[in-house]
Amino acid sequence: MQRSRRHLLPIAFIILANVSASSAQSQADRMPDNPVDLVRLGLNQKKAVKVNDAIYLAYGFGNTFMVTTPGGNIIIDTSIAFRAPGAKQLLRAESSGPIKYIILTHGHGDHTGGISVWREAGTEIVAQKEHVEFVNYQARLGGFFAARNAAQFALPTPRTSAWAGNYGAKIEPTILFDDKYEFSLGGVKVEIYHTPGETPDHLTVWIPQYKAAFVGDNYYASFPNLYTLRGTRPRWALDYVNSLNKVLALKPEIVLPSHGEPILGNAEITRRLTQYRDAIQYVHDEAVKGMNAGKDVYALMQEIKLPAGLEVGESYGNLIWSIRGIYDGYAGWFDLNPSTMYALPPSSAYPDVVKLAGGADAIAKLAEERVQADKSIEALHLTDIALAAEPANRKTLEVRLKALEKLRQACRNSNERGWLDYSITTVKSKLGGK
């Protein structure tokens, strides 16, 4: 993936920058409500966190870890390009030894963006072999993702660039492996396992000497993004389950996510990762059972809820998006309705509905009633219909703005907030900035 601000991909959890590893477990890992704050994670950090005598952490737009050894240092993930220099300054203050290895937990830009900042002559860069296709996939859809990332994370709209082609990504790794890769450096053994989940190329780094597992984005303090609103290939829930089982089988005493705080102690690690795994398994299985029972995706999105003991929060990933991601990932887009087989969208019939209703103002009035009745989602659907017939209808735009603002007021999910903010800005622009 291109290393630029316009290719930001799934990211992180709010961090308190000047904490030590011993206090990390007491911190509340929670996504800030405002997505703008995501870009600022770790900006005020003055000193790297010392996890143990060999492992140091710099927070950022994706955490960066340094493992020190007598034979040189290992960097695990490099953050986004514009945050990498700050991470390097913090970590280099702890050790100036040569960078012998860079390990990429996966190919998202908030993990790979700082490669050029860290790479030295002779540095080996390690990734799982699916990395090649994954970064080509991202480059292949570079313009598509650039626009959506800008919207989701409240960034400036990017300039359109030429299509990179089907295989236009720069391939940075010097070592690609299949299921497992290991090496020793300065007497420290490092084992790397393929653990797909967040991406097909995802890996976990295991250092037996420290009982430390670097788990990338396969765990963070929210239900995972089994589907992300900016768009993604299917993220298979059972991959997450199997990969978390692989980590649990190592019996780690330290787990280091790429977003959020270190988790210390096997009992706490086992509790959290088991709960996380079981939550994913539950949602997957309930969705699949519902599909086999003939239920449609909207019924499942409304019906499936996590049991109390499996509620892991939804400040980043979201249950209903994930349920639809599972459903569509298995079945694709066709919903058995013959009207969806053809190129004309449902909105092609909306102007006729508006005409029968007596015009856009009449539908806007009904939408206003829905907003007042705390049915803002229904109001949005109604304004979709009205605006298909009269895109500049002021009354409809004003009601749509009220519905969006009401939804934002109740929102506690960063990705949802990002898209609501984007939509609010769009409507305000159509209203003349008022």
Side-chain angles (χ1 to χ4, degrees):
M1 173 162 181
Q2 289 91 340
R3 298 359 174 201
S4 73
R5 198 173 185 130
R6 65 189 185 88
H7 287 284
L8 306 178
L9 288 171
I11 46 180
F13 285 81
I14 193 164
I15 309 289
L16 297 182
N18 297 318
V19 298
S20 67
S22 61
S23 66
Q25 288 172 256
S26 66
Q27 301 298 334
D29 287 39
R30 188 181 184 282
M31 181 68 80
D33 293 337
N34 188 343
V36 175
D37 291 341
L38 297 173
V39 184
R40 307 166 68 96
L41 296 176
L43 273 177
N44 296 322
Q45 187 176 3
K46 305 301 183 187
K47 184 175 174 57
V49 172
K50 184 178 181 181
V51 179
N52 67 11
D53 287 342
I55 300 171
Y56 296 87
L57 160 62
Y59 298 121
F61 211 51
N63 295 340
T64 299
F65 299 95
M66 182 172 69
V67 181
T68 62
T69 83
N73 296 333
I74 303 162
I75 298 300
I76 300 171
D77 286 339
T78 65
S79 195
I80 198 76
F82 65 92
R83 295 298 307 278
K88 183 176 182 180
Q89 182 177 6
L90 293 175
L91 294 170
R92 279 311 212 179
E94 305 297 335
S95 172
S96 59
I99 306 302
K100 293 294 188 178
Y101 289 88
I102 295 171
I103 304 173
L104 306 173
T105 62
H106 59 292
H108 281 155
D110 55 323
H111 300 257
T112 64
I115 289 175
S116 62
V117 172
W118 283 102
R119 181 172 44 205
E120 299 175 353
T123 301
E124 299 282 9
I125 302 172
V126 184
Q128 202 276 335
K129 72 175 185 179
E130 293 289 339
H131 178 91
V132 174
E133 167 52 24
F134 186 71
V135 295
N136 275 317
Y137 150 73
Q138 293 180 131
R140 198 175 298 146
L141 291 168
F144 175 86
F145 285 133
R148 288 184 170 218
N149 288 326
Q152 182 164 305
F153 299 117
L155 294 166
T157 303
R159 290 176 296 175
T160 303
S161 57
W163 182 48
N166 287 320
Y167 305 100
K170 183 179 180 182
I171 307 304
E172 304 270 22
T174 59
I175 296 171
L176 293 164
F177 71 97
D178 189 359
D179 293 321
K180 181 182 179 183
Y181 180 76
E182 60 182 58
F183 64 87
S184 291
L185 181 65
V188 177
K189 185 180 180 183
V190 178
E191 300 174 5
I192 310 174
Y193 296 94
H194 185 205
T195 51
E198 169 94 0
T199 63
D201 70 328
H202 201 286
L203 60 82
T204 293
V205 182
W206 171 242
I207 303 182
Q209 180 176 332
Y210 307 125
K211 296 186 181 296
F214 300 78
V215 297
D217 285 5
N218 278 353
Y219 172 84
Y220 43 73
S222 167
F223 196 83
N225 249 349
L226 297 185
Y227 177 79
T228 176
L229 297 180
R230 63 169 185 81
T232 185
R233 290 168 58 177
R235 295 176 176 177
W236 296 114
L238 294 180
D239 280 350
Y240 279 88
V241 169
N242 294 331
S243 292
L244 288 164
N245 281 336
K246 190 176 287 189
V247 174
L248 285 164
L250 296 171
K251 300 186 184 304
E253 292 291 340
I254 305 171
V255 159
L256 299 135
S258 291
H259 302 296
E261 303 287 359
I263 312 172
L264 306 179
N266 182 256
E268 180 65 6
I269 289 166
T270 300
R271 182 189 72 79
R272 289 206 209 177
L273 267 60
T274 299
Q275 181 192 41
Y276 203 66
R277 177 203 65 194
D278 291 352
I280 297 168
Q281 179 91 61
Y282 180 86
V283 171
H284 170 272
D285 291 357
E286 290 302 303
V288 170
K289 285 188 284 187
M291 292 173 72
N292 285 319
K295 294 183 178 181
D296 67 65
V297 66
Y298 289 104
L300 295 176
M301 289 164 73
Q302 293 176 59
E303 290 175 9
I304 298 173
K305 310 291 181 187
L306 283 170
L310 297 181
E311 291 178 350
V312 295
E314 296 179 65
S315 60
Y316 195 65
N318 176 286
L319 221 60
I320 60 174
W321 310 332
S322 296
I323 292 162
R324 184 163 188 173
I326 291 166
Y327 192 108
D328 289 354
Y330 274 124
W333 56 265
F334 185 54
D335 59 2
L336 309 188
N337 183 344
S339 68
T340 62
M341 294 192 298
Y342 303 102
L344 281 178
S347 58
S348 65
Y350 290 172
D352 291 330
V353 176
V354 173
K355 184 178 179 180
L356 287 171
D361 284 356
I363 294 181
K365 182 181 178 183
L366 182 58
E368 177 77 53
E369 292 172 4
R370 292 292 187 269
V371 172
Q372 292 174 358
D374 286 329
K375 295 182 178 180
S376 294
I377 298 170
E378 290 182 14
L380 287 183
H381 289 312
L382 289 167
T383 61
D384 285 340
I385 295 171
L387 292 171
E390 299 182 34
N393 183 274
R394 189 168 189 85
K395 186 172 182 180
T396 304
L397 289 169
E398 288 171 347
V399 175
R400 186 173 182 85
L401 182 60
K402 288 180 184 178
L404 290 166
E405 288 178 336
K406 200 160 190 177
L407 288 168
R408 185 181 65 176
Q409 216 171 29
C411 173
R412 295 296 178 268
N413 179 286
S414 182
N415 289 324
E416 180 186 359
R417 170 68 182 264
W419 286 106
L420 289 172
D421 283 345
Y422 171 75
S423 300
I424 286 168
T425 300
T426 301
V427 173
K428 284 182 174 180
S429 176
K430 291 178 180 179
L431 285 168
K434 296 181 180 179

